[in-house]
Amino acid sequence: MYPRETTQFYWLSLNQEHEKYQDPIVRQAITHAINRENIIDTVLQGYGTIADHGISPALEEYYRDDVETLAYDPDEAVSLMSEAGWEQNDNGIFEKDGETFDINFEIGIQGDLEQIAQLIQQYLIEVGFNVELQTMEWNTMIDQVVINRDYDVTLNWWRYASDPDLQPYIHSENAGSGNNIPGYQNEEMDQLLEAGAQTSDMSERQEIYNEAQQLMATEQPYNFLWYPQEAQVKVDALQGVPDLAFGDSLHYINEWYLEQ
């Protein structure tokens, strides 16, 4: 059994139609508050790596591991919130202009999402956010969060094709009704994503997506959590299986065979 990288990333989505989540400093603070490594080591049993942007290490030609990293640092989270104008009140809750920083954390029940959400809730409470966790049936979540965008903060993931084009998930034109769930809008990011999608030259695409990854790490359009890995087990006699994640290798199942 061995870990296999996948073209997938888990994320928190902060609804950027809400003014308090429009500040990148606040989004950075929230990422600093979450002990992602502990979640990987415990809940995921080590099958994952910390995500700093949306392009997975499965895309070796494009993946960049030297971007700005928002490491687990509760003190930095508090400092950044202060920079953004949010100070802890007598109860330790962030407050600004008489308003406490309340988060309604809404998730659909599937797999280990609830356990992960409980850990994230605790991390955020520890630094000064007032977080209420609301769980719901999966289809209800799709209707409320994805279709109607009636949510505050949610937890989920994207799995995408073996290409770094993330326009469906981050481009401004997909905010509000497309798969840009947080409603993130940034003209510089749009231009980079468009250029990357329109360029066929590999070296040019790498340069474009290198720049896009750094911008993602800084801007946190999503609060990137981790890239999950698959635990793969393969029978030696099974041949013809491409060196891909399981879901992708199924596209070639007609080429699989058992060696006699």
Side-chain angles (χ1 to χ4, degrees):
M1 185 163 63
Y2 59 95
R4 163 73 62 188
E5 300 291 353
T6 63
T7 50
Q8 187 175 8
F9 64 94
Y10 274 70
W11 41 262
L12 280 184
S13 175
L14 315 179
N15 190 343
Q16 292 172 41
E17 291 186 6
H18 300 177
E19 184 177 355
K20 63 186 178 183
Y21 299 124
Q22 292 171 5
D23 188 344
I25 295 175
V26 170
R27 301 198 295 268
Q28 291 170 12
I30 287 174
T31 299
H32 275 299
I34 301 170
N35 191 339
R36 295 173 288 173
E37 192 65 58
N38 184 58
I39 295 173
I40 292 169
D41 290 343
T42 56
V43 181
L44 306 183
Q45 300 181 49
Y47 285 95
T49 55
I50 287 176
D52 295 309
H53 49 73
I55 295 179
S56 162
L59 301 177
E60 296 179 5
E61 300 90 346
Y62 297 101
Y63 173 69
R64 181 177 173 185
D65 64 0
D66 62 346
V67 299
E68 177 182 0
T69 298
L70 303 181
Y72 175 55
D73 189 339
D75 290 338
E76 179 66 10
V78 173
S79 177
L80 287 172
M81 289 300 292
S82 178
E83 182 180 338
W86 296 86
E87 302 290 348
Q88 292 172 314
N89 61 21
D90 292 341
N91 296 318
I93 304 298
F94 292 125
E95 185 173 317
K96 181 179 182 180
D97 299 328
E99 175 189 359
T100 55
F101 204 118
D102 301 328
I103 295 176
N104 189 19
F105 191 8
E106 300 150 292
I107 67 160
I109 298 296
Q110 186 172 110
D112 49 21
L113 286 186
E114 184 174 11
Q115 183 181 2
I116 292 168
Q118 289 170 345
L119 285 172
I120 291 174
Q121 177 190 29
Q122 188 58 41
Y123 293 136
L124 296 180
I125 287 173
E126 286 173 358
V127 299
F129 296 97
N130 183 32
V131 186
E132 294 291 333
L133 180 60
Q134 177 187 353
T135 60
M136 63 190 77
E137 189 268 334
W138 187 256
N139 289 334
T140 301
M141 183 280 298
I142 294 296
D143 183 66
Q144 178 174 321
V145 174
V146 178
I147 297 175
N148 293 315
R149 298 295 203 272
D150 180 19
Y151 80 101
D152 191 32
V153 172
T154 193
L155 166 68
N156 218 311
W157 72 89
W158 286 128
R159 182 163 190 150
Y160 52 94
S162 296
D163 188 89
D165 181 10
L166 297 181
Q167 287 187 94
Y169 316 108
I170 300 178
H171 196 286
S172 298
E173 69 179 10
N174 295 313
S177 59
N179 284 336
N180 181 345
I181 304 300
Y184 173 73
Q185 299 186 55
N186 181 289
E187 185 176 350
E188 182 182 0
M189 182 71 76
D190 291 346
Q191 291 172 350
L192 287 169
L193 295 175
E194 290 166 10
Q198 294 165 8
T199 302
S200 57
D201 181 85
M202 173 63 80
S203 62
E204 290 183 20
R205 290 194 94 206
Q206 288 172 329
E207 290 180 10
I208 292 166
Y209 286 117
N210 278 348
E211 193 173 342
Q213 286 170 81
Q214 180 60 67
L215 188 58
M216 287 183 221
T218 303
E219 280 276 302
Q220 294 286 285
Y222 293 84
N223 290 70
F224 299 104
L225 298 175
W226 58 84
Y227 310 110
Q229 297 169 323
E230 291 181 349
Q232 290 193 348
V233 179
K234 181 183 173 185
V235 177
D236 289 339
L238 182 62
Q239 299 295 312
V241 182
D243 191 25
L244 299 169
F246 179 70
D248 296 325
S249 68
L250 286 175
H251 293 294
Y252 303 90
I253 196 169
N254 61 304
E255 300 177 11
W256 298 9
Y257 64 93
L258 287 173
E259 190 174 62
Q260 302 299 320

